[in-house]
Each structure stands twice: as structure tokens, then as C-alpha cells.
Amino acid sequence: MPFLQAAPVLSNQYLDDRVLRSYLRRVLPRTMLGAIEPDLTDLGEYAANAWTLARTRERSEPKLTQWDVWGERVDRIELTPAWIAAQPLAARHGLIAAGHEATHGTHARVHQFALVYLFHCASEFYTCPLAMTDGATTALKASGNQRLIDRALPHFLSRDPEQFWICGQWMTENAGGSDVAPTETAAREENGRWRLYGRKWFTSAINAQAALALARPAGAPAGSDALALFYLEPRKPDGRWRNIVIDRLKDKLGTRELPTAEIHLDGAPAELVGEPKFGVRQIAPVLNITRTWNAVGALATMRRCIALARDFGNRRVVFGKPLAEQALYQDTLAGMQAEYEAAFHLTFFVTELLGRVQCGQADESQQNLLRLLTPLAKLWTGKLAVAIASEACECIGGVGYLEDSGIPQLLRDAQVWPIWEGASNVQALDFQRALRAAGGLQSLLTAQRTILSQVQASELEPCARAVRMAATAIAEWLQKASAGERHRLEAGGRELAFGLARTFALALLARHAEWALRAENDPRPGAAARRFAEHRLLRLKPDGLRDATMLASDSY
Ligand code: MFK
């Protein structure tokens, strides 16, 4: 008998998901859950099958053909089979619509993001344009531009695959990604119509039927305040580009199925979304929505990696018994699971807040809380997804390092979470921007205390204690850092953001554990909370700047 290893398999990704299902039972009305469960089950089945299918067929990537055989510039893009399947699937499951429809009131966002979480790993990052489309929907609604609302939203929110459109977000240029102030794309008004001229350096999902772009109106001063936000439909009904040239598709570490392009705009017709300035303020709703999608996608990556490592542990026998029965393997999985469960509750709490804010049912403190927690969730989950993907790769060992196991792709793809939509340091700085606007941590600390007051079980006391101790340490650190120069606070910004995210997440996980114990007699969330509390919550440095300048510029 030759030595064989059994490949990990996935069962229905909804029915098999204890964490998601337990959470939905707590937060959703029973009738609503009953109504949406068949759809969640369908997507869970699709996700499991897509994993098997992806392992058995030839890998494909989008292909750009710039010239046709007769010498005409065509810039035609062929999409992967999963991308072709994704558009009708996204429309039919309402992956954007569900988040905006009134049917489930304030629960609309929880419903939508449960769908997104199940779909993401089967989507080959089709969730990227979906995220941008959701963001564009939110930004256009906020703009009050009725013409564009009437034009674009019926497409973005359609459940009809024939009508459904996706929307790109064209911000990044050669001169700047994190900092958009040096944007060089110019907008000129010609014969009563705006036209854009310039180069966009990263345009994700270039096949989108619409896009939002930042550009500087001719004659406007330098700086980011002078940028304006424009809406475009990049192609004519016959598919030809409207004064846009696709220079190339990017050769990326991961997300290779996603057609990310470098483009030239050579008089592309566009429409102003709002006033011809303050475009960053107008595109900010897109950033906050896509950052939420980012956190949900990162969570989906973690869940997928843990599911594969766990299943592998049941199949792989070493030293005479399955890995799953070995103490150190169990301990490794437990650590991953605890981190993921905490991240899950933080991320889905953000979606709950988003639903309430969107329905006008959030007071000022809850609005502040959403603004504060969004960059924290994006920052922490992005980093954690890479760590968990790396750990899962190691769990599966040598085979996990081989391309056709599918695990390296998960690891490479995971690396995008901390980068796009603003890298970790951008999130840390955005959190400080939000903190200044909110006038401090009050809304976050008050919410955390309220959540913690619902944790009564004695077995969860170590968790409550860990939250209280961390909150005190953070408040003291912040008070000291805020009293100094701003760059001292900035230097500690990453650790402050991680610490707050982890502490708030522990409070949420402990609250869910309390409910699970009482309502379902399930001790597992409590075990996850205790385990997470044992992990380090904070790594605040007494002085973020001490030694940093010297070490950062180190050379022989
Ligand atoms: C499942 C898949 C999900 C992910 C898919 C994503 C795929 C998309 C791929 C990409 O396109 S990646 C490119 C994304 N680019 C970024 O995320 C940009 C990163 N940089 C930042 O976020 C910077 O912080 C920013 C460009 C916003 C800095 O710009 P400014 O102009 O220097 O900032 P400033 O002056 O502080 O803010 C201008 C206004 O915007 C202010 O409002 P007011 O004018 O009313 O004072 C800010 O408060 C507001 N603002 C900025 N960020 C905000 C915000 N408001 C709300 N929320 C925010 N996050």
C-alpha cells in the first residue's frame, strides 16, 4: 500500500459554521433567521463545492488583449470562469441589495455580511468589486445627486443579473495611494461636459460598468481638499472604451483572478458627484464600507484556513494517531480559533452598528462608535488573517506548501487584507482622526462597559477582568501620550489600535459566551473567550518614539 495523504474537504460552509450560526441565533429575530436560512445554506453549499472544483480544474487568470488582428486597439479582458459565474450569483443572492433593502430593517447589514462571509472564499475576490459597488451606493445616496442616484442605484441594487452592475473606485495614482493630495488626474470642462485626463495606477475590477474617480478640476489649487469626485461609465453600450486605454493588468502576489489594471484616461467623459472640491470627504463613505467588507473577507479567510487545518487534523495520522488527537495540534488550533472568534464578534458588531446608523436608529454615541471601530476592525482582522493563513499552511505541512493543495493561494491572497483599502498604518492614523472628531474614547469605553455588564457567569470573570485592566491601561497611556506632541501619539498608534480592537473584541466575545451558556448550554464560546483573554491584549510602549528614530534608520 503506497503512502497517501488525504486531502482536507469542506462540508456545507453555513451548516458547518458553529460561530456564525450561534451569532445569528442571538442577534436576529427567529422569523427572519428562518426566512434567510435557505439562502445561507445554498451559499454554504456553493462555497464547499467551489473549493473542490477549484482543486480539480486548471487555474485561470484574466487575460488582456490590447490589439485585435486588424490592428485596432480593443483592450478586451477575458474573465475567469468563477468571475463569470459570480455576477449573476451576486445579483440573485442580493449581495449588495440585501444591505440596502428595508425588508429586515436594522438587520439588513448583518444579513448582507453573513452572505458575503459565506461567498468570499468561493468568489475569487469578486467581493472586491462588490465592496466598491456597495461603497459607491452609499456614497451616491449621501451625495444627494438625484440624477446619479436614479441612473446608477437601480443597477447597483438590482437582483436581476441582466440589470446588475458593479462599480470601481479609482483613487490610487503613481504619486500616491495612502496620500491622495498629489493626485495628477485633471478634470476639464469641455463644451459643458467634464472630461478626465491622467493615469490611474491601481484600478481594481476594470471590467466594472461604472466607477468613481478622484480628479483635480482645471485651475484648482494643490492639495487634497481641491480634488473632486466624479462618476464614470467607462464603456459604451457596444463594449468599446470611452477614451480610456488599459496599459496592463497588474502582476500581483495574490488576488490574481481579480483584473487590476493600470489605465490612461484621455478625455474620459465623467459627471461631478457633488461640488467640484472636497472629493475625499465625498468618497469617505466608500472607504468605510469597503473597510467593513475587508474585515468580513479577512474573517472568511481565517474561517476557511481553520476549517481546512481542522479537517486535515482528523485525516492525517502521525506518531500512531490523528493529529486532531494530539495535544500540541489541539493547542495550536485552539489558539487560532480563539483569535478568529474574537475577530468575528468585533467585525459583525460593526455590521450591526452600520445597519442601525443606516436606518437612522443610532444616536450620536453609536455613530461615533461605528466611525471608531471601522478602522480598528480593518486593521486587526487584516493582520490576523495573514497570521492564521500562515499557521494553517504550517499545520498542513509540506503539502500545505504545495501550490495544488490550494493553501499557498490562501496565504498569498490573505496578504492583501492589510494592504488595500488603506494599509495598517493608514487605519491607525484614521482611527486617530476619528478619535479627534469624537472628542476622545468616551463612546467606545461606555459601550464596552455596557457590553461587559451583561457578563455575569463566574467562568467568564477572567475575561471581564482582562477587559477592565486593559481599558484602564489604555486610558492611562492615551492620557499621557495625548499630553505630549502629536507625533508621540502617532508613533504608538498601531499598538493603541490593536489593543483597543482586541479589548473590545474580548468584551463582545464574553457577552456572546454568556448568552451561549444560558440560552444554548454551549460552553465553547466561553472557552474561546478565556483562551483569547490569556493571549496578550496589549503591547503599548511607554514611549512610542524612544529609540524608534535610531532603529528605523539603522545602517552599517
Ligand atoms: C472584500 C473586498 C474588500 C476590499 C475591496 C477594496 C478594493 C479597492 C482597491 C483600492 O481601491 S485600494 C485604494 C484605497 N485607498 C485608500 O484606502 C486610501 C488610503 N488613504 C486614506 O484613507 C487617507 O486617510 C486619506 C486619503 C483619506 C487622506 O486624505 P486627506 O485629504 O489627507 O485627509 P483629511 O484632510 O484628513 O480628510 C479629508 C476629509 O475626509 C475630512 O473631512 P472634513 O473635510 O469634513 O473635515 C475627513 O474627516 C474625511 N475623512 C477621511 N477619511 C475618512 C473621512 N471621513 C469619514 N471616514 C473616513 N474614513
Side-chain angles (χ1 to χ4, degrees), residues 128 131 172 177-178 224 281 284 288 291 371 421-422 426 430 433:
C128 164
T172 311
S178 299
S224 70
R281 192 192 297 164
N288 292 331
R291 287 169 186 173
R371 179 70 186 92
E421 279 314 303
V426 168
D430 185 51
R433 183 194 277 116

Side-chain angles (χ1 to χ4, degrees), residues 224-348:
S224 70
D225 280 356
L227 297 173
L229 182 62
F230 290 88
Y231 168 88
L232 299 90
E233 287 172 16
R235 279 171 295 158
K236 299 176 185 166
D238 66 6
R240 281 184 298 153
W241 295 94
R242 290 190 162 111
N243 300 3
I244 294 172
V245 174
I246 314 296
D247 292 331
R248 60 174 163 163
L249 295 184
K250 296 283 196 187
D251 186 8
K252 293 168 289 176
L253 173 70
T255 71
R256 293 184 68 88
E257 296 87 353
L258 168 67
T260 306
E262 284 172 38
I263 62 172
H264 263 98
L265 306 168
D266 189 19
E271 204 165 320
L272 257 181
V273 171
E275 53 183 331
K277 55 184 176 180
F278 301 130
V280 174
R281 192 192 297 164
Q282 294 167 48
I283 208 169
V286 181
L287 301 179
N288 292 331
I289 293 288
T290 51
R291 287 169 186 173
T292 307
W293 279 72
N294 205 92
V296 173
L299 207 57
T301 301
M302 296 177 215
R303 144 86 174 136
R304 171 60 56 92
C305 290
I306 294 170
L308 290 169
R310 183 173 290 129
D311 187 75
F312 181 75
N314 290 327
R315 293 164 194 279
R316 178 80 168 115
V317 174
V318 283
F319 306 123
K321 56 181 181 179
L323 277 173
E325 291 171 20
Q326 311 220 9
L328 194 47
Y329 197 77
Q330 288 173 348
D331 190 72
T332 306
L333 279 183
M336 293 156 79
Q337 178 73 19
E339 293 281 325
Y340 149 74
E341 284 196 41
F344 179 98
H345 285 283
L346 178 65
T347 302
F348 270 88

Side-chain angles (χ1 to χ4, degrees), residues 81-102:
W83 266 60
I84 293 167
Q87 169 126 348
L89 188 141
R92 277 199 293 272
H93 285 277
L95 283 163
I96 308 299
H100 294 264
E101 287 165 352

Side-chain angles (χ1 to χ4, degrees), residues 419-438:
I419 295 178
W420 68 4
E421 279 314 303
S424 302
N425 287 358
V426 168
Q427 304 308 316
L429 294 175
D430 185 51
F431 172 75
Q432 296 196 2
R433 183 194 277 116
L435 196 61
R436 286 191 295 278

